[in-house]
Amino acid sequence: MKTAQRIQGLPPYLFAEIDKKIAKAKAAGIDVINLGIGDPDQPTPPHIVEALQEAVNDPATHRYPVYQGMPAFRQSVASWYNRHKGVALDPDSEIVALIGSKEGLANISQCYVDSGDYNLVPDPGYPVYSIGTMLAGGEVYRMPLLQQNGFLPDLDSIPTEIAQNAKLMFLNYPNNPTGAVAPRSFYEDVVAFARQYDVVICHDAAYSEVAFDNYRPVTFLEIEGAKDVGIEFHSLSKTYNMTGWRLGWAAGNQIVIEALARIKSNVDSGVFSAVQQAGITALEGPQDCIFAMQKLYAERRDVVVEGLHELGWDLERPKAAIYVWAPAPEGCTAQEFAAHVLEKAGVVVTPGIGYGQYGEGYFRISLCVEKEQLITCFRRLKDAGIRYS
Ligand SMILES: *Cc1c(COP(=O)(O)O)cnc(C)c1O
């Protein structure tokens, strides 16, 4: 039973290797604290859970949903954009519901990429951008996210021949894994680039509401002309601790949205209507759960950044997202460092290479564990003599 080439080309799941090491450490009696998982540890706010319970009692939700998403859900997304971002969207033609944004991020390449076409993909980055490209038979051009550029891609360094043959550009700010944010001027350059080379912009805004210290991330769709050149992917996963529910959306250019909806209508049958109903409650209900979420992550971030400072790291406090991205100490790869930290302190960090070749030399700490656990981690690192220099 020989699998297809495209399956053979898929890298082993990043965390599979780490999971093996964790299992081994646990078997050896080490108490492991996992700072590798980017999945909110807090439950979904109760009023959203209740909305699902109520919706599921209505037999109308038991039938196939509307492919593009319930009109009421799309309307609620449009109102949300209007209220929070000052962006006007037509719910009928400019929004499609997704089974989590990852689904749309994978499927969008099927809409635009033919064999040999390029997609411009941030590196390090969320793996689905490059995987989706490869599954569609396309080529990945890696845009390095370098610290000296604030972890933004340098658009001027993209070779002209590549830009001319590129179909999509993936972007993601606030960024996983680097925690970087993008200024308005960057998005303006992106819109100009997209116009010049006829590239569709796919902005992944999964962390747009996860921001700290009164910082408010700019979203791509807020930029003038953005709707002419691309779409934005959004998700309830991080904003409302709903990763398991699988609900997101794409919004923006109507031609791109129509293409994505067309592919989807041929391979899936949409999001469970009761989940969409709960999504409406999330978007339109009380938003104080967001402030609580932001406060919680900001406190954890401070523990991590201060802990790293104390061990000799020099880094800034990320303004958004749920990660701290830090360089491995001189003289060891991030993988060696991660293995050392697991063995000596029972702490799991993710080596940056898992997010692409330009992630080498870095590791990622996720803020999805309790503050007390984080404090314990740093006490252990200190006791184990682990330092940056
Ligand atoms: C968590 C995350 C998402 C959200 O994915 P869903 O499929 O909506 O759960 C999207 N992009 C990035 C970069 C993420 O880290």
Side-chain angles (χ1 to χ4, degrees), residues 9-223:
L10 288 180
Y13 185 50
L14 161 66
F15 294 105
E17 200 56 28
I18 300 170
D19 284 347
K20 256 190 244 162
K21 288 203 175 117
I22 296 173
K24 218 171 121 195
K26 281 185 177 159
I30 300 174
D31 171 41
V32 174
I33 303 178
N34 194 343
L35 306 184
I37 302 169
D39 185 353
D41 57 310
Q42 297 295 303
T44 306
H47 69 284
I48 302 172
V49 176
E50 282 155 23
L52 176 82
Q53 287 166 335
E54 204 172 298
V56 93
N57 285 331
D58 175 2
T61 65
H62 303 174
R63 311 192 60 185
Y64 283 120
V66 178
Y67 282 128
Q68 205 191 329
M70 284 164 64
F73 176 71
R74 284 180 276 124
Q75 180 57 57
S76 124
V77 168
S79 308
W80 181 87
Y81 261 107
N82 215 331
R83 237 176 11 256
H84 293 277
K85 314 289 173 197
V87 175
L89 289 164
D90 172 16
D92 287 334
S93 62
E94 295 179 329
I95 294 169
V96 61
L98 300 174
I99 311 169
S101 57
K102 185 178 181 181
E103 175 261 291
L105 289 162
N107 274 323
I108 191 66
S109 283
Q110 299 292 335
C111 306
Y112 281 92
V113 175
D114 285 316
S115 174
D117 289 340
Y118 274 93
N119 279 349
L120 309 173
V121 174
D123 181 332
Y126 194 50
V128 71
Y129 314 138
S130 54
I131 303 288
T133 305
M134 291 182 316
L135 290 177
E139 305 287 331
V140 173
Y141 176 82
R142 299 181 173 279
M143 303 184 290
L145 305 188
L146 306 177
Q147 179 153 24
Q148 70 252 33
N149 300 330
F151 297 110
L152 299 170
D154 176 8
L155 303 179
D156 294 334
S157 74
I158 299 168
T160 308
E161 333 66 90
I162 299 283
Q164 284 165 342
N165 288 308
K167 304 306 289 279
L168 308 177
M169 177 192 281
F170 289 99
L171 294 169
N172 163 225
Y173 294 97
N175 185 256
N176 176 10
T178 67
V181 296
R184 184 171 285 273
S185 60
F186 170 72
Y187 290 113
E188 287 164 357
D189 294 345
V190 164
V191 171
F193 181 95
R195 283 223 166 91
Q196 184 176 356
Y197 294 107
D198 189 23
V199 170
V200 174
I201 305 302
C202 297
H203 181 237
D204 176 355
Y207 296 97
S208 74
E209 310 312 302
V210 188
F212 319 123
D213 316 326
N214 297 319
Y215 172 75
R216 184 188 157 284
V218 180
T219 54
F220 166 69
L221 283 186
E222 286 175 52
I223 305 303

Side-chain angles (χ1 to χ4, degrees), residues 255-279:
I255 296 166
V256 183
I257 293 295
E258 191 278 327
L260 182 54
R262 182 144 37 122
I263 284 280
K264 281 176 53 56
S265 70
N266 283 282
V267 295
D268 67 60
S269 296
V271 181
F272 183 21
S273 303
V275 168
Q276 295 187 59
Q277 200 70 56

Side-chain angles (χ1 to χ4, degrees), residues 262-314:
R262 182 144 37 122
I263 284 280
K264 281 176 53 56
S265 70
N266 283 282
V267 295
D268 67 60
S269 296
V271 181
F272 183 21
S273 303
V275 168
Q276 295 187 59
Q277 200 70 56
I280 294 171
T281 298
L283 294 172
E284 294 182 359
Q287 302 294 301
D288 44 339
C289 54
I290 296 185
F291 299 118
M293 173 273 289
Q294 292 168 337
K295 184 163 169 278
L296 187 79
Y297 287 129
E299 278 172 18
R300 293 174 177 180
R301 173 206 61 177
D302 290 344
V303 170
V304 170
V305 171
E306 279 154 29
L308 286 170
H309 283 171
E310 210 175 305
L311 300 177
W313 268 269
D314 174 22

